[in-house]
Amino acid sequence: MKQDSIRNAAYTVDCEDYVHVVKFNPFDSGDTCSLIAYGGNNYVVVGTCRFQEEDAEVEGMQYKTLRTFHHGIRVDAIAWSPETRLDALPPQLRFCTAASDRKLRLFTSDLQDKNEYKAFDGHSDYINDLVFAPKEGQEVASVSDDHTCRVWDLEGNEKAHFVLHSPGMSVCWHPEEAFKLMVAEKNGTIRFYDLITQQAILSLECEQTPLMSADWCLKNTLKIGAVAGSDWLIWDIARSSYPQDKRPVHVDRARLFRWSRVNENLFATTGYPGKTTTQLLVHHLGHPQPILIGTAAVGSGLTWHRTLPLCAVGGDHKIFFWVTEM
């Protein structure tokens, strides 16, 4: 392993609480800053970030908290709505959380007096992931240990219900494939569902378990990535339902897989939160070894910036940011 690939975080932000989950807004909110949300034991905090990599007048990184939302329970997952706009009058923030009480919570705020939230009930076990419909943002899909994927409208009514064969770990909704949902199961199967007919239309196999996380590449709709066991795996769905490429990466177990939003060959994985540190690896498909290795004190969550090759991981009262090359 080349020593120069091991790197401290380029930037850190101090947080009031342990950070369980962190999420850059993947949609354009009409502002030069990037929105980021993080969740702890009681709160969701929404802030803006600006980095010197995108603005020469910024020294390093600027971070500002916009609003802290009382959540009252540990936050396990966060999804941003494409309806979030900072350039509207009044501005609108909208996001949804999953919590350890098996409920989804939809938050809407104008950053002034209007701060609403609505709870969605239905899952009977832990919710692992959720995502908004990427075009209009009028629906939310969620997957759970209760062996279901559910699609909800913004009133909390269930619009679709897919029965899975094992816990649902990841759900993805691609902006170029608005009528398909990708669902990854712990047993190593990734299925695509047609939301019109509500039928499964394609499945991919890891041939190893447990699958912990999967992602649909923004820049290339044919590319799917996942982590299962201690390996990362990549599929080209035009070619085969079996992985085109796979490699062991994390000594313990791999936990999360996320494609970069700016390059179809760039992705990151994290290991399991260890006793003291969590390993972040950034990979490029053209390189045999990880191009960046970072460690975070008991990190959790993993998210890529919308327009920069920059990713963030949450940790103990901190968010860590790493910058990589394209």
Side-chain angles (χ1 to χ4, degrees):
M1 195 63 76
K2 296 204 308 292
Q3 199 56 37
D4 62 2
S5 58
I6 299 176
R7 246 180 275 172
N8 289 331
Y11 313 111
T12 57
V13 167
D14 291 322
C15 308
E16 299 275 303
D17 196 353
Y18 182 88
V19 179
H20 291 289
V21 58
V22 58
K23 198 72 177 275
F24 277 116
N25 181 7
F27 305 107
D28 181 1
S29 65
D31 193 78
T32 53
C33 294
S34 298
L35 282 165
I36 193 165
Y38 66 87
N41 291 320
N42 274 304
Y43 300 98
V44 178
V45 178
V46 171
T48 58
C49 303
R50 191 102 176 113
F51 298 91
Q52 66 183 18
E53 284 75 10
E54 57 190 336
D55 181 349
E57 293 183 10
V58 172
E59 271 189 50
M61 170 191 181
Q62 281 172 355
Y63 169 80
K64 180 177 139 217
T65 293
L66 288 183
R67 175 63 54 113
T68 299
F69 297 86
H70 185 68
H71 197 259
I73 190 167
R74 191 185 72 211
V75 184
D76 292 325
I78 299 173
W80 281 98
S81 164
E83 291 192 290
T84 291
R85 298 300 298 185
L86 291 179
D87 58 351
L89 283 172
Q92 170 163 275
L93 288 183
R94 178 168 278 167
F95 60 90
C96 194
T97 63
S100 47
D101 61 357
R102 309 182 286 224
K103 290 185 172 119
L104 299 177
R105 287 171 176 77
L106 175 70
F107 289 82
T108 307
S109 169
D110 65 1
L111 292 173
Q112 291 145 22
D113 309 325
K114 180 188 158 191
N115 291 289
E116 303 169 352
Y117 97 86
K118 184 182 262 332
F120 299 2
D121 273 319
H123 280 298
S124 60
D125 207 338
Y126 195 83
I127 300 162
N128 292 307
D129 196 17
L130 73 166
V131 64
F132 272 87
K135 290 283 196 227
E136 314 289 325
Q138 294 306 298
E139 292 173 312
V140 177
S142 56
V143 287
S144 162
D145 282 354
D146 68 8
H147 295 209
T148 68
C149 169
R150 300 170 196 240
V151 181
W152 317 77
D153 67 16
L154 300 190
E155 295 300 309
N157 303 307
E158 209 176 278
K159 305 307 272 182
H161 182 116
F162 302 107
V163 178
L164 312 177
H165 298 269
S166 68
M169 302 306 291
S170 295
V171 59
C172 298
W173 212 327
H174 200 291
E176 290 164 42
E177 296 276 4
F179 298 105
K180 289 183 192 147
L181 210 51
M182 185 204 93
V183 176
E185 295 191 40
K186 200 169 191 173
N187 67 6
T189 302
I190 299 172
R191 277 194 193 80
F192 292 82
Y193 292 93
D194 182 317
L195 289 167
I196 308 295
T197 63
Q198 299 197 5
Q199 299 294 317
I201 45 178
L202 176 73
S203 70
L204 308 175
E205 293 299 336
C206 277
E207 299 190 291
Q208 61 193 74
T209 58
L211 182 156
M212 295 308 292
S213 171
D215 197 17
W216 194 345
C217 183
L218 178 70
K219 289 290 180 191
N220 182 343
T221 55
L222 297 175
K223 273 184 165 168
I224 307 297
V227 285
S230 55
D231 300 3
W232 60 253
L233 307 98
I234 308 272
W235 290 260
D236 174 341
I237 56 180
R239 288 189 177 178
S240 169
S241 58
Y242 296 101
Q244 186 186 352
D245 208 350
K246 73 174 199 176
R247 220 158 282 169
V249 274
H250 294 277
V251 190
D252 40 7
R253 267 195 305 170
R255 176 64 189 91
L256 295 170
F257 181 107
R258 299 275 187 273
W259 290 106
S260 143
R261 308 192 65 78
V262 293
N263 182 330
E264 66 168 80
N265 292 311
L266 195 61
F267 61 96
T269 59
T270 59
Y272 247 78
K275 300 274 186 297
T276 52
T277 58
T278 297
Q279 198 178 46
L280 161 81
L281 300 176
V282 176
H283 314 267
H284 190 289
L285 284 174
H287 295 261
Q289 299 290 348
I291 59 171
L292 185 151
I293 302 162
T295 55
V298 210
S300 47
L302 172 61
T303 185
W304 284 92
H305 190 278
R306 193 175 68 85
T307 55
L308 293 173
L310 181 152
C311 60
V313 172
D316 187 5
H317 291 74
K318 278 185 173 34
I319 300 171
F320 302 96
F321 298 85
W322 280 271
V323 183
T324 182
E325 296 78 41
M326 294 279 269

